[in-house]
């Protein structure tokens, strides 16, 4: 009994707002069951096939619609009656779909995925209403609605010579993902946020060794010479008379 209540596709709503998609689903399921010829006018079909088609159609109607067409015995008459009643949806949906197509712009969306979803939604409506939308039109729509700040990027995409919209959108999705990864890597620690190491902190051993050498040369010699004497006694040395003319000054000692 569970199989009898299971729907193969969405039932036709009593308002008929999903009529266009319902017709497409019904035609596909009838064709898959080798019943596609039963809904064509002046086509001869067996009673068994006609009964199967009628069961499938009625099974995918809203309960209110089932009761309204309870007296219709012919599957083809049911199909035609629904068409006469709801096919005007094309005249309602088509103008809106055309308007949405004109207003569609890549620059209005935050992500390529959102734009791609809206593109297919609008194109599906147009095609259901009998208007064909080619890959060339979809490519041009995308290229011509780049943001003004991305003119160079738009030219680069054009020069790649994409033949289909799906090829272009796949390339753009990959590029967007790579850009997002770069941004994610940048945000935790933006450029220049890490301080440079101090010289004293980076070279502790060198500073310590230099300081020890200086102290040892003037204070720590084996002979116990005091600062200012150097080699050869006070005031003597190579060119240093009386301690004058000494160009080196220990920054830790205040000279008076």
């Amino acid at each position: 009994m569970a199989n009898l209540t299971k729907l193969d596709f969405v039932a036709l709503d009593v308002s008929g707002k999903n009529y266009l998609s319902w017709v497409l689903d019904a035609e596909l399921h009838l064709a898959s069951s080798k019943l596609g010829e039963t809904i064509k006018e002046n086509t001869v079909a067996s009673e068994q096939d006609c009964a199967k088609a009628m069961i499938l159609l009625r099974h995918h109607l809203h309960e209110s619609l089932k009761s309204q067409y309870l007296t219709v015995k012919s599957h083809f008459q049911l199909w035609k009656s629904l068409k006469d009643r709801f096919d005007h949806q094309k005249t309602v949906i088509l103008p809106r779909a055309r308007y949405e197509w004109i207003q569609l712009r890549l620059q209005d969306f935050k992500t390529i995925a959102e734009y791609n979803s809206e593109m297919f939604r609008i194109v599906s409506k147009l095609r259901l209403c009998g208007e064909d939308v080619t890959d060339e039109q979809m490519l041009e729509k995308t290229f011509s609605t780049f943001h003004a700040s991305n003119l160079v990027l738009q030219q680069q995409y054009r020069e790649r010579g994409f033949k289909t919209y799906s090829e272009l959108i796949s390339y753009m999705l990959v590029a967007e993902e790579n850009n997002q990864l770069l941004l994610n890597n940048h945000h935790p620690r933006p450029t220049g946020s890490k301080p440079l190491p101090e010289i004293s902190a980076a070279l502790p051993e060198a500073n310590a060794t230099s300081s020890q050498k200086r102290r040892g040369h003037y204070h720590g010699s084996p002979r116990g010479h005091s600062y200012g004497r150097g080699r050869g006694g006070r005031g003597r040395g190579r060119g240093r008379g009386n301690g004058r003319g000494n160009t080196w000054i220990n920054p830790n000692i205040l000279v008076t």
Side-chain angles (χ1 to χ4, degrees):
M1 295 298 293
N3 293 332
L4 295 177
T5 60
K6 181 180 179 181
L7 296 178
D8 296 315
F9 51 94
V10 178
L12 177 60
D13 189 76
V14 67
S15 66
K17 61 182 179 181
N18 65 329
Y19 173 74
L20 296 179
S21 60
W22 179 86
V23 166
L24 179 60
D25 290 334
E27 289 176 340
L28 291 174
H29 280 79
L30 287 170
S32 66
S33 302
K34 298 181 180 181
L35 301 173
E37 297 295 324
T38 60
I39 56 174
K40 294 181 180 180
E41 194 170 6
N42 300 325
T43 299
V44 179
S46 65
E47 292 185 5
Q48 185 178 8
D49 288 344
C50 292
K52 290 180 180 179
M54 187 64 166
I55 291 172
L56 188 144
L57 293 177
R58 286 187 56 83
H59 186 54
H60 292 85
L61 295 180
H62 188 276
E63 291 298 327
S64 179
L65 286 176
K66 286 183 182 180
S67 62
Q68 293 177 29
Y69 292 94
L70 188 62
T71 59
V72 177
K73 303 298 183 180
S74 169
H75 69 286
F76 180 76
Q77 186 61 41
L78 176 61
W79 180 264
K80 188 174 182 302
S81 298
L82 293 173
K83 178 179 175 64
D84 293 340
R85 177 174 177 177
F86 297 120
D87 199 43
H88 70 277
Q89 286 292 326
K90 291 183 179 179
T91 61
V92 177
I93 296 175
L94 184 57
R96 180 64 183 178
R98 287 173 175 170
Y99 174 79
E100 291 176 341
W101 172 262
I102 294 173
Q103 299 300 319
L104 180 64
R105 302 190 307 173
L106 175 62
Q107 60 182 288
D108 293 335
F109 296 86
K110 293 182 179 180
T111 66
I112 299 299
E114 291 177 358
Y115 168 78
N116 188 43
S117 178
E118 185 68 5
M119 167 68 84
F120 276 106
R121 186 186 69 81
I122 297 173
V123 169
S124 295
K125 282 187 176 182
L126 290 171
R127 289 175 176 171
L128 281 173
C129 294
E131 290 203 358
D132 186 30
V133 182
T134 64
D135 277 296
E136 289 76 11
Q137 290 174 311
M138 296 169 73
L139 287 169
E140 185 57 33
K141 167 62 71 172
T142 304
F143 290 142
S144 62
T145 57
F146 268 72
H147 194 274
S149 62
N150 294 325
L151 290 179
V152 176
L153 183 61
Q154 179 255 125
Q155 292 173 1
Q156 292 175 346
Y157 278 119
R158 281 187 182 273
E159 291 173 356
R160 285 187 170 271
F162 294 103
K163 299 300 182 183
T164 63
Y165 171 77
S166 60
E167 184 182 3
L168 167 66
I169 213 68
S170 296
Y171 190 92
M172 294 178 69
L173 286 169
V174 172
E176 182 182 55
E177 183 64 23
N178 290 336
N179 290 341
Q180 188 61 45
L181 288 175
L182 290 176
L183 291 174
N184 291 341
N185 291 334
H186 169 77
H187 287 315
R189 194 179 69 201
T191 304
S193 61
K194 183 177 181 180
L196 294 175
E198 297 181 1
I199 297 178
S200 59
L203 302 173
E205 296 182 357
N207 289 340
T209 302
S210 176
S211 178
Q212 290 175 1
K213 286 182 179 180
R214 291 172 182 173
R215 288 197 301 270
H217 184 72
Y218 293 98
H219 297 283
S221 62
R223 298 181 181 180
H225 292 294
S226 60
Y227 171 74
R229 292 186 178 184
R231 296 179 182 178
R234 179 181 298 176
R236 292 193 300 272
R238 297 178 181 178
R240 298 191 182 103
N242 297 326
R244 298 174 182 176
N246 190 349
T247 58
W248 184 88
I249 299 177
N250 190 334
N252 296 321
I253 298 177
L254 179 61
V255 180
T256 59

